[in-house]
Amino acid sequence: MEESAIEVGTLEEASAAVARLLAVTHATYERRAQLEHALQSRVAIEQAKGIVAERYRLSLDDAFQLIRRAARTHRIKLHDLARAIQPGEETPAELAAVLADKRV
């Protein structure tokens, strides 16, 4: 039975390999966190679209355009405004202002 030879590298090579592995692992965790944040933002936006559509009798597309316009007009992040839109609560002032402008 033949024995396989195992090459032994230097301590510097091992340190470099571990450093690369840690960098890849860190990048993977960061990417996962970004994707999780994006998913949570998307869920909040979808819920807000539904609330606005029902509350103001709009299509989902029109509700999204309204939320987006309000966020842009007031220079706030879309997902922050979407999270402020809750069932049973008052319409956020930013959205109410855009609705008032639209009706004039």
Side-chain angles (χ1 to χ4, degrees):
M1 184 186 276
E2 286 186 35
E3 291 186 30
S4 299
I6 298 176
E7 289 188 35
V8 178
T10 66
L11 184 57
E12 290 80 22
E13 291 171 334
S15 292
V18 169
R20 283 192 305 271
L21 180 60
L22 289 173
V24 168
T25 301
H26 180 70
T28 301
Y29 280 122
E30 282 185 3
R31 181 68 176 150
R32 183 184 179 281
Q34 290 171 348
L35 291 172
E36 182 67 28
H37 177 73
L39 177 62
Q40 294 304 319
S41 291
R42 193 68 196 151
V43 168
I45 292 166
E46 290 298 322
Q47 289 173 341
K49 281 172 38 180
I51 293 165
V52 170
E54 181 181 3
R55 192 175 287 174
Y56 298 102
R57 300 180 193 271
L58 301 171
S59 70
L60 290 174
D61 287 340
D62 289 342
F64 177 72
Q65 294 303 324
L66 183 67
I67 296 166
R68 189 174 75 169
R69 187 177 314 123
R72 285 183 174 176
T73 300
H74 293 89
R75 294 186 173 124
I76 59 175
K77 292 182 180 179
L78 181 64
H79 64 88
D80 289 340
L81 179 57
R83 286 188 179 111
I85 300 169
Q86 296 294 319
E89 293 184 14
E90 284 190 38
T91 300
E94 298 86 358
L95 187 60
V98 171
L99 281 164
D101 287 345
K102 185 178 176 186
R103 293 182 182 170
V104 173

